[in-house]
Amino acid sequence: MTRKRILSGMRPTGKLHLGNLHGALKNWVDLQERGEHDCYYFVADWHALTSDYSDTVNLRDNRIDMVIDWLSAGLDPEKSTLFVQSSVKEHAELFLILSMITPLAWLERNPTYKEMRAELSGKDLSTFGFLGYPVLQAADIIMYKAHGVPVGVDQLPHVELTREIARRFNFMYREIFPLPEPRLTDFPKLLGIDGRKMSKSYENSIYISDRGDVLVKKVAAMFTDPQRMRRKDPGRPEICNVYTFHQIYSPAEDVDRIGVECRNAGIGCTDCKQQLSARIADTMKPVHDRRDYYLHHPDEVRAVIECGNARATRIARQTMEEVREAVKI
Ligand code: TRP
Ligand code: SF4
């Protein structure tokens, strides 16, 4: 019997940061390692076009860079299928068919749509393609008859919409698609070095690729408890982003010690940060080693993608045969 499938994707908008690593990628790697599902992970380059259609110079490079970040994080092409959306043209055909049965009102009321339009106010997102973003996402997911979709909370409306579209298809034509379940990661949100949400556009991110001096400097620049002005002031670790990072990167006994010493002004922020950057460097060592390997073996990365594309295409073709049969087209 074939195993149930997991599917997820990311838009190739540039290098990935530690928030992406712990929020999404770790979850992907865990699912891969648990071995209960067949995992499919893809580069959503058509989705990148929906908002960045006017600036595509880096799109191809970003695609490769992102796969290198994935491999560095521990995704294993022997265990998971890694592919590129735009290489599997069937996604476009399923998107087209789903667009016929998706009521406009479902798209217009989508909270992510409203938020993104407001947030990315510098771009003109009043396009057909951007409104259809979740329909393309639905096509991505149900193409592989995925049962689980590991995503962050921001993507929940999209998975919900996918379920509604799949339900409508099943009801209208034939019961082909399982209804996918979101699989959330419960992970403390990592803030950027300026205390805002870690985001490439805020230039406050620590990237997976950051190491050495770059890493040390970024950690040294992190915002801490604003009430701790002087070394002798007691701090509040529970509101300090540096402390949140320690909870991820340092062993439990160090985390406890730092908590206590921060509260009684036994440790200074400079020390605390130095300890943190050393811990991050340690933890990231295997990731950086894999990164070095793949940076020096770009042909291997390309081969991984080709092989993943072929595996994904095989399934997509089967699904589309069933879909055409059901729709009678
Ligand atoms: N919308 C997702 C994001 O911005 C990317 C994505 C595209 C996706 N298609 C998907 C995620 C299918 C999960 C499943 O992060
Ligand atoms: Fe934050 Fe560490 Fe400074 Fe406490 S000592 S405020 S945890 S950086």
Side-chain angles (χ1 to χ4, degrees):
M1 209 194 84
T2 58
R3 288 179 298 180
K4 289 185 176 171
R5 292 187 194 123
I6 289 284
L7 174 125
S8 196
M10 269 185 214
R11 283 170 298 150
T13 47
K15 41 187 184 173
L16 299 179
H17 53 61
L18 296 184
N20 303 127
L21 176 62
H22 294 285
L25 273 178
K26 276 270 161 61
N27 198 10
W28 292 13
V29 175
D30 283 351
L31 287 163
Q32 160 189 288
E33 292 306 320
R34 245 182 274 158
E36 291 161 16
H37 298 89
D38 275 336
C39 298
Y40 288 77
Y41 301 122
F42 73 98
V43 181
D45 54 350
W46 276 332
H47 275 107
L49 269 191
T50 63
S51 52
D52 295 343
Y53 54 84
S54 64
D55 178 16
T56 57
V57 271
N58 295 322
L59 192 53
R60 287 185 180 168
D61 285 345
N62 286 348
R63 214 153 62 181
I64 296 280
D65 289 349
M66 193 161 76
V67 174
I68 293 178
D69 275 339
W70 289 0
L71 294 166
S72 315
L75 284 182
D76 177 349
E78 303 279 321
K79 296 178 182 161
S80 299
T81 300
L82 311 181
F83 69 99
V84 171
Q85 181 186 38
S86 68
S87 297
V88 185
K89 308 298 179 199
E90 284 76 7
H91 287 231
E93 185 182 354
L94 186 53
F95 164 64
L96 179 86
I97 289 176
L98 297 181
S99 77
M100 305 300 170
I101 67 166
T102 306
L104 262 184
W106 289 6
L107 301 175
E108 285 162 348
R109 68 162 189 238
N110 170 16
T112 316
Y113 173 68
K114 292 189 203 155
E115 265 164 43
M116 274 184 80
R117 274 188 68 170
E119 206 173 300
L120 304 175
S121 53
K123 294 172 187 161
D124 183 1
L125 295 181
S126 43
T127 59
F128 176 57
F130 189 69
L131 182 67
Y133 186 112
V135 184
L136 180 57
Q137 183 158 348
D140 300 335
I141 296 171
I142 69 177
M143 181 71 88
Y144 302 91
K145 301 186 180 176
H147 280 83
V149 187
V151 285
V153 264
D154 62 307
Q155 294 294 311
L156 284 182
H158 287 162
V159 180
E160 188 48 42
L161 207 59
T162 301
R163 292 166 61 86
E164 287 174 37
I165 295 173
R167 209 180 283 125
R168 193 166 164 95
F169 184 102
N170 287 345
F171 171 76
M172 216 174 253
Y173 304 110
R174 187 186 295 165
E175 189 90 24
I176 294 184
F177 299 113
L179 302 185
E181 303 279 349
R183 286 169 164 260
L184 288 177
T185 18
D186 47 356
F187 198 79
K189 255 240 160 332
L190 289 180
L191 299 176
I193 59 178
D194 61 359
R196 292 188 292 172
K197 172 182 155 192
M198 196 181 283
S199 160
K200 205 177 138 275
S201 43
Y202 292 157
E203 296 183 10
N204 65 356
S205 301
I206 301 178
Y207 293 105
I208 293 181
S209 54
D210 287 344
R211 56 180 119 172
D213 269 3
V214 177
L215 178 63
V216 172
K217 284 206 182 103
K218 283 192 181 177
V219 173
M222 279 170 80
F223 281 28
T224 62
D225 176 358
Q227 276 180 25
R228 204 175 174 203
M229 311 271 273
R230 282 154 305 196
R231 172 69 179 75
K232 64 179 198 318
D233 297 334
R236 296 169 296 172
E238 66 282 1
I239 61 139
C240 178
N241 192 28
V242 175
Y243 190 69
T244 312
F245 272 74
H246 270 296
Q247 288 170 317
I248 296 158
Y249 290 101
S250 300
E253 59 276 18
D254 284 23
V255 176
D256 293 345
R257 175 184 50 78
I258 289 166
V260 172
E261 291 182 353
C262 172
R263 259 185 273 276
N264 65 19
I267 185 175
C269 293
T270 309
D271 248 7
C272 181
K273 288 170 168 178
Q274 260 158 14
Q275 292 178 26
L276 176 62
S277 45
R279 288 293 182 191
I280 298 179
D282 268 3
T283 314
M284 294 296 286
K285 172 88 169 60
V287 175
H288 291 149
D289 287 349
R290 281 191 290 265
R291 190 181 171 79
D292 286 338
Y293 175 83
Y294 285 110
L295 282 175
H296 290 104
H297 296 82
D299 290 346
E300 208 169 306
V301 180
R302 273 189 287 274
V304 162
I305 296 173
E306 287 306 316
C307 173
N309 288 345
R311 279 205 291 232
T313 301
R314 218 156 35 230
I315 297 169
R317 286 202 178 134
Q318 280 168 10
T319 303
M320 285 317 295
E321 297 220 347
E322 285 180 74
V323 166
R324 290 183 210 115
E325 193 55 40
V327 177
K328 305 205 174 27
I329 192 115

